[in-house]
Amino acid sequence: MQQDMFCKDLIDTAKALSNEIRIDQKVDSESALLKVWPLIVRNGFHRLLIEPSFDGWGLDLRQYIDTMQQLAYGDGPLALAVHVHNYAVKIINELGDKTLKQRLKTWLDEGNIFSLARTEYKRDYRYNFSTKISHMKSSSVLSGQKDFCTLAGLADCYVVFAQTEVSDPSMDSLQVCIAIGNAPTVEVIKTNGFDSMVASSTYSVRFNDYELSPADLVGQPGEIAKLENPDTLTIGICAINVGMADLGIELFERYYRGKNDNVEVMRWLGQMDVLLRSAELLLDESINSRPHMDSKSGIYLRRAKSASDTLLQNVTEGAIKYLGIDGIMSKNKLIYLRNNSYATRILPPSTQKSLIALGTERIKVSHDKRGAEISM
């Protein structure tokens, strides 16, 4: 009963934050996040995955994902910003030593914002990074560029994935480190932002021979593989997709209430309802399989990611088709859906990768079954 009350309080707080996010209709730039961030900090939503001994919520995966979905129901880009911050903080908290954890607590007490500098355009996100750490006699130097960094330009600190081996990179040589955002050798390149995601400030960041001290290194090379629930970032994005789509469907229904004379629209709403419930079930299945308690955990996650991406794409396209351009570009944030390639007929790259992986898996399973039948 005590746990149920805790979860209820958590979701109620998330709902209250969502309402606050949606009140101000005039803010449409990065200042939106900065305006709301003190409220996020006051409610402890900047340390949702930190243990209570560090004044955190100490949420398990299920509680955390439910919270992200509720926040996304208020505003998707801001929910994404909170999610990326919490995942970056989770990495430091899990892999950092005692001294680094204490530094982290101080940073969080001060309300600092953390960004995750992981992705590089057209490169394998797991370990094959051009961003590298070169070791000198007395220090180390971080150099290279990260792309599509949520919170770029707003973050006080960047959690950076970099390679220590250029010629033969691997997970074992992947090092996580921290770079301070206002350092002169950290450069934000505003070349890949999306108009409707400015609140999460998604841009490239370049590290121009940023000098690292031993205290800036998070764990040892290769320790990123030791994270509990390493797929929390992707699972959270699935939940945010579902939350945004759920809001979009509800707002569409509200707009069409009493106008049920359009058979095509009613059929489309029915399809969206099926897609929404399917995405929720697949997300639930993915959460239940963590942390890799099932050999098919990766398949479950790819299914959930593909389903949630496709759901949001279809909701956005429907809003454009039936509500006109206001479906995604309206200044009224109540019908302001994310336009991050979902408004096109082209599937997002992440969805394409997931679908190809799932198709490959199906062929493999079918081939294995056929081989077993022949051998019998």
Side-chain angles (χ1 to χ4, degrees):
M1 185 178 295
Q2 194 172 30
Q3 183 70 7
D4 288 343
M5 287 298 295
F6 171 79
C7 292
K8 184 180 182 302
D9 289 344
L10 179 70
I11 296 301
D12 285 347
T13 305
K15 287 179 180 178
L17 285 172
S18 295
N19 289 333
E20 286 292 330
I21 289 170
R22 290 162 69 177
I23 285 174
D24 191 349
Q25 302 293 322
K26 297 179 181 179
V27 178
D28 58 359
S29 68
E30 286 97 334
S31 57
L33 176 65
L34 297 179
K35 187 171 184 178
V36 173
W37 194 256
L39 190 62
I40 299 291
V41 171
R42 199 178 313 140
N43 286 278
F45 272 54
H46 66 318
R47 42 179 148 207
L48 292 171
L49 296 169
I50 300 295
E51 57 267 28
S53 59
F54 280 87
D55 300 327
W57 283 84
L59 302 186
D60 61 27
L61 183 61
R62 168 75 61 182
Q63 295 165 337
Y64 177 73
I65 294 306
D66 287 347
T67 304
M68 286 301 104
Q69 186 171 334
Q70 182 60 57
L71 281 176
Y73 190 80
D75 187 281
L78 288 172
L80 178 63
V82 172
H83 175 47
V84 169
H85 163 88
N86 273 285
Y87 187 73
V89 167
K90 166 187 166 70
I91 292 173
I92 301 173
N93 185 58
E94 281 195 39
L95 303 183
D97 58 20
K98 187 176 181 180
T99 302
L100 186 52
K101 285 185 178 182
Q102 193 56 51
R103 284 177 70 196
L104 175 63
K105 183 180 184 304
T106 301
W107 283 328
L108 292 176
D109 288 345
E110 294 171 352
N112 285 352
I113 300 174
F114 285 78
S115 176
L116 186 63
R118 184 188 70 165
T119 305
E120 293 183 13
Y121 182 58
K122 289 188 176 179
R123 295 185 75 93
D124 189 333
Y125 72 89
R126 290 174 297 175
Y127 59 82
N128 186 20
F129 297 124
S130 62
T131 304
K132 65 181 185 298
I133 296 175
S134 304
H135 295 291
M136 309 298 181
K137 289 184 179 179
S138 57
S139 64
S140 301
V141 171
L142 171 67
S143 59
Q145 180 173 312
K146 295 296 185 181
D147 301 303
F148 310 111
C149 297
T150 299
L151 297 171
L154 303 181
D156 299 288
C157 301
Y158 292 93
V159 175
V160 187
F161 286 36
Q163 266 297 337
T164 56
E165 294 289 341
V166 178
S167 58
D168 189 23
S170 69
M171 283 294 291
D172 292 336
S173 57
L174 182 64
Q175 176 70 61
V176 179
C177 61
I178 300 172
I180 303 304
N182 62 3
T185 50
V186 176
E187 178 185 3
V188 177
I189 308 166
K190 299 198 172 187
T191 58
N192 54 34
F194 298 111
D195 286 344
S196 59
M197 289 190 70
V198 288
S200 59
S201 188
T202 305
Y203 299 115
S204 295
V205 180
R206 184 177 295 153
F207 302 97
N208 301 307
D209 294 334
Y210 180 94
E211 189 170 336
L212 295 165
S213 70
D216 296 325
L217 303 179
V218 183
Q220 298 298 315
E223 287 194 353
I224 190 68
K226 296 181 180 179
L227 277 177
E228 182 183 1
N229 292 320
D231 295 321
T232 299
L233 182 67
T234 304
I235 297 174
I237 290 173
C238 292
I240 290 169
N241 284 346
V242 170
M244 286 193 290
D246 196 12
L247 173 63
I249 293 170
E250 179 188 310
L251 294 171
F252 196 96
E253 288 173 339
R254 191 182 304 168
Y255 178 85
Y256 262 92
R257 195 164 292 158
K259 302 178 184 179
N260 50 354
D261 56 337
N262 190 324
V263 176
E264 184 183 356
V265 170
M266 295 305 108
R267 184 170 59 246
W268 175 79
L269 278 173
Q271 291 172 344
M272 293 308 99
D273 181 67
V274 171
L275 284 175
L276 176 61
R277 304 312 161 200
S278 298
E280 288 174 334
L281 287 171
L282 289 168
L283 177 59
D284 191 62
E285 189 176 53
S286 183
I287 294 171
N288 289 338
S289 72
R290 305 290 149 173
H292 295 286
M293 293 179 288
D294 191 302
S295 60
K296 294 184 178 180
S297 290
I299 297 175
Y300 296 150
L301 179 57
R302 285 193 288 272
R303 286 173 180 162
K305 185 66 169 67
S306 294
S308 66
D309 279 349
T310 304
L311 166 67
L312 190 56
Q313 176 187 343
N314 277 271
V315 170
T316 306
E317 288 182 351
I320 298 168
K321 183 176 181 179
Y322 299 118
L323 297 180
I325 195 65
D326 278 355
I328 56 167
M329 297 302 293
S330 174
K331 292 181 179 179
N332 179 355
K333 289 192 177 183
L334 291 180
I335 56 172
Y336 190 68
L337 300 178
R338 189 170 73 171
N339 180 21
N340 180 1
S341 81
Y342 299 112
T344 70
R345 294 290 173 184
I346 302 172
L347 288 174
S350 55
T351 303
Q352 293 185 48
K353 288 176 76 174
S354 292
L355 291 175
I356 290 170
L358 288 172
T360 303
E361 184 67 26
R362 283 188 67 103
I363 292 172
K364 178 179 179 297
V365 171
S366 176
H367 182 270
D368 291 345
K369 283 183 178 179
R370 188 174 179 185
E373 290 171 358
I374 292 174
S375 63
M376 290 175 65

